Amino acid sequence: MQRTEARAALGVPSAVLAICAAVAGLSALGWAHSGAALDRATAAVDGRVEEIERGRGALAVVTWTDANDVSHTERLPLSDPDRYRPGDSYPLRYDPAAAHPRAVPAQADDLTDRRDEYLVPLVLAVLAAAGTTTFWGLRALLHLRIRRAPATPGRARGGQAPLGHATARPVVHVQWHTADGRPREGWQPVMAGPAAASLRAGDPQDATAVLVHQRTADGRLVIALPDGTRLIPAGPLRPRRPRHWNDSPEPPPLPGTPPPLPHGWRLRCILVALTTGAVAAPVVWWLTSQAAATAALTVVLAASAATGMWLREVQRVG
């Protein structure tokens, strides 16, 4: 398999799993830190509810004074915004040995709300990672099952079919014979890359001799090129020619090297990363109110956006 096809195939799930890992890791650290803080919080104190903030989730702004007569202000989550009102007493516990103590709720209901801030994103990140792994794992398994099907000789000609208003994806016109000798014809969308682009080189009347793997009569095709590269199917096999399918020839890529990416691709990736970071930072801060979480998630989201833009540039090459 060519390098570019492999990177494109692995880029999307890798980016999603990186985001899930970052969210799960930060949430797990927050969960563990809150558990450790609860174990160390042995001093009891009553705080005063100054304000109830109603936004994404209700927050109680609580002021309290430690044993050294130092005043503190905490923002504590509330699942029920009507549980407290300004001026109410809010039971707290804190670590008396800490240089800069942070209070934790003393009542079980309030504590559950506080720890749910970490538990909910942790569970969602794990579910998202499991779903992504399952989806792409099944796709990989399907690809491997098709590859193991008996191969029959055929002819293939590469082309492009529109995908939206400004993009297109490679679709290979394949002619082959089934095991019982019946001629077949179809158009198979494949993942973009130098191998798919090489099928468009030469005279439009020419076609490349290939080996065709197909597990079921109308199932997807895995197309093996003469050099051993297998094109990854990117959609179901079409029995009819796609609308506006274009098989005009293109110059072949240099042997052994991926074709150059479009001019200015680095600048576009940088601009996408900066824009994503500028938008994500205030949103993540509003959601978490934690500097470390904001910085980590912003970097991950910006890097993932840049990776997505790079993959788009790779698709344009094909």
Side-chain angles (χ1 to χ4, degrees):
M1 184 183 295
Q2 297 272 353
R3 275 190 310 170
T4 304
E5 283 90 341
R7 290 184 301 188
L10 296 174
V12 173
S14 298
V16 174
L17 290 177
I19 294 176
C20 293
V23 173
L26 291 172
S27 301
L29 288 175
W31 175 270
H33 177 75
S34 65
L38 181 62
D39 293 337
R40 295 191 302 266
T42 57
V45 65
D46 285 332
R48 184 177 185 276
V49 178
E50 301 292 340
E51 181 184 358
I52 302 296
E53 296 182 351
R54 302 172 186 268
R56 172 188 60 90
L59 294 175
V61 181
V62 181
T63 58
W64 59 282
T65 303
D66 60 26
N68 297 322
D69 205 27
V70 177
S71 180
H72 305 270
T73 300
E74 305 279 354
R75 282 179 168 80
L76 304 172
L78 294 172
S79 58
D80 182 5
D82 297 324
R83 184 183 302 170
Y84 294 99
R85 299 181 184 279
D88 288 351
S89 177
Y90 193 110
L92 298 170
R93 293 162 56 189
Y94 72 97
D95 179 6
H100 304 284
R102 291 179 60 89
V104 297
Q107 294 186 359
D109 291 343
D110 299 331
L111 182 61
T112 300
D113 293 336
R114 182 65 178 269
R115 302 196 76 185
D116 280 351
E117 277 198 330
Y118 304 108
L119 181 60
V120 171
L122 174 61
V123 172
L124 292 178
V126 171
L127 292 177
T132 300
T133 303
T134 301
F135 175 77
W136 287 98
L138 290 176
R139 289 197 63 176
L141 180 61
L142 175 63
H143 176 69
L144 293 176
R145 285 169 63 88
I146 298 174
R147 280 181 53 178
R148 291 174 181 158
T152 57
R155 309 284 293 179
R157 174 70 194 169
Q160 292 273 0
L163 183 65
H165 297 288
T167 60
R169 65 174 176 176
V171 178
V172 179
H173 176 215
V174 188
Q175 295 174 312
W176 77 102
H177 287 79
T178 61
D180 56 6
R182 291 187 299 111
R184 289 290 307 275
E185 180 182 32
W187 282 262
Q188 176 62 62
V190 298
M191 187 164 290
S198 67
L199 291 178
R200 300 182 65 187
D203 189 275
Q205 301 302 321
D206 293 339
T208 303
V210 297
L211 292 177
V212 178
H213 299 265
Q214 187 180 39
R215 187 169 181 84
T216 59
D218 298 316
R220 304 182 183 197
L221 303 179
V222 171
I223 304 166
L225 302 185
D227 63 358
T229 299
R230 291 178 173 86
L231 301 182
I232 302 174
L237 178 68
R238 299 184 179 186
R240 291 181 294 273
R241 173 174 174 157
R243 189 178 181 183
H244 303 306
W245 183 74
N246 176 25
D247 63 347
S248 60
E250 291 184 350
L254 295 176
T257 59
L261 293 177
H263 178 71
W265 69 272
R266 290 184 180 85
L267 178 60
R268 287 190 287 273
C269 290
I270 292 174
L271 289 177
V272 167
L274 292 176
T275 302
T276 302
V279 173
V283 173
V284 176
W285 174 258
W286 178 69
L287 291 173
T288 65
S289 299
Q290 297 181 8
T294 299
L297 287 177
T298 300
V299 170
V300 170
L301 291 172
S304 300
T307 301
M309 188 64 191
W310 173 77
L311 289 173
R312 183 180 177 86
E313 300 291 339
V314 171
Q315 294 285 338
R316 291 176 60 187
V317 171

